[in-house]
Amino acid sequence: MGSNHQDYTFSHDTHPYTRSFPKLFDCCEPDFFVCYMPDQQRGIINMIQLKQRDQHRMIKEMTEEEYFQCHLMLTEWMFQQLDHITRRTGRLTKCIRLSDAAGMHYRQMEKQQKIRESKAAKHMEFAYPQLLSCLFIANAPTWVNIFFALLKPFVPKSLLEKVRLISPHKHTKDLERILEFCSRDHLATRYGGNLQEWPPRAMVSK
């Protein structure tokens, strides 16, 4: 799979919005976020380790506009990659997002940050309606369901329809859902796949 990987980095010279990324990364642990395209005939896999983000610090050190800039830059970058694949293959290509909530404690959650994220997601869903194929939330503690229910009014219905709560190591059907979008060889072992390298050589990572 090595030949299928490409390495990308954002430069401050590319766009002024990229100056907001260091602030975001300072609020997170290494490898909290991995975005990679193991198979250039298919889409992008976007993985986030939710417990590795300090949401309270994000509220203190990032403005809503700075967070939005990061979100927009990454979304536009993914859109351009996927649009290139779509034009080359003639097949509409989308990304999947896998947010791993394993080990999260409710005290790590910051309601204001989740509202920010929901607002940004709502804007991106409107601007890039064909970008996201499915959002998997893996290994979520029971309390996450309650918190998620409180945020539903802030999330567009079209996005909610793409959300799937899964536990791929416990339920074979959940693993099969992920494998609809990527091969087992391109899925990390922590989710039932064969990929032992972590983080994988990524297009974007922190």
Side-chain angles (χ1 to χ4, degrees):
M1 57 182 280
S3 60
N4 287 331
H5 284 275
Q6 300 180 39
D7 293 323
Y8 292 81
T9 57
F10 286 128
S11 167
H12 294 341
D13 296 330
T14 304
H15 196 284
Y17 280 11
T18 58
R19 295 186 179 93
S20 298
F21 275 97
K23 283 191 174 183
L24 175 63
F25 292 155
D26 284 345
C27 297
C28 306
E29 298 178 24
D31 301 328
F32 90 99
F33 169 81
V34 174
C35 182
Y36 71 118
M37 185 169 62
D39 182 347
Q40 294 188 26
Q41 301 303 313
R42 302 178 75 173
I44 291 172
I45 302 175
N46 187 339
M47 295 185 178
I48 295 178
Q49 305 297 311
L50 294 177
K51 71 175 183 178
Q52 295 184 5
R53 297 186 305 172
D54 188 337
Q55 297 183 27
H56 301 286
R57 184 176 176 183
M58 291 170 73
I59 287 294
K60 292 180 181 179
E61 300 186 8
M62 295 187 72
T63 65
E64 184 171 350
E65 178 62 21
E66 287 172 333
Y67 177 78
F68 179 81
Q69 289 173 357
C70 293
H71 209 298
L72 178 59
M73 281 296 297
L74 179 60
T75 303
E76 173 62 23
W77 174 80
M78 287 194 296
F79 170 77
Q80 291 184 20
Q81 298 297 320
L82 294 172
D83 183 64
H84 176 70
I85 299 173
T86 296
R87 293 175 184 275
R88 190 181 71 241
T89 64
R91 183 183 65 254
L92 181 61
T93 306
K94 303 182 181 184
C95 75
I96 64 168
R97 294 178 184 169
L98 201 163
S99 296
D100 194 335
M104 280 199 69
H105 193 279
Y106 71 89
R107 291 176 181 171
Q108 293 179 266
M109 302 292 282
E110 165 56 64
K111 184 176 180 180
Q112 189 58 41
Q113 175 58 26
K114 300 310 294 182
I115 291 176
R116 280 186 184 182
E117 293 173 5
S118 298
K119 289 170 64 176
K122 182 176 182 179
H123 182 89
M124 298 308 154
E125 181 67 15
F126 175 79
Y128 303 89
Q130 296 297 331
L131 181 73
L132 179 64
S133 181
C134 192
L135 168 58
F136 294 108
I137 301 178
N139 309 315
T142 303
W143 62 265
V144 169
N145 297 326
I146 300 174
F147 198 91
F148 185 71
L150 295 175
L151 289 174
K152 280 188 176 181
F154 301 97
V155 182
K157 182 179 179 181
S158 58
L159 180 58
L160 286 174
E161 291 174 346
K162 299 177 182 179
V163 177
R164 300 288 184 273
L165 295 173
I166 61 171
S167 297
H169 271 300
K170 294 180 180 179
H171 305 294
T172 302
K173 288 185 178 180
D174 288 347
L175 174 59
E176 291 174 351
R177 285 180 176 179
I178 303 178
L179 295 179
E180 291 177 11
F181 302 96
C182 66
S183 74
R184 190 183 294 268
D185 288 339
H186 297 153
L187 183 66
T189 54
R190 65 180 68 185
Y191 306 116
N194 298 330
L195 180 62
Q196 297 184 10
E197 176 189 21
W198 189 265
R201 279 191 295 155
M203 302 168 78
V204 179
S205 67
K206 173 62 178 88

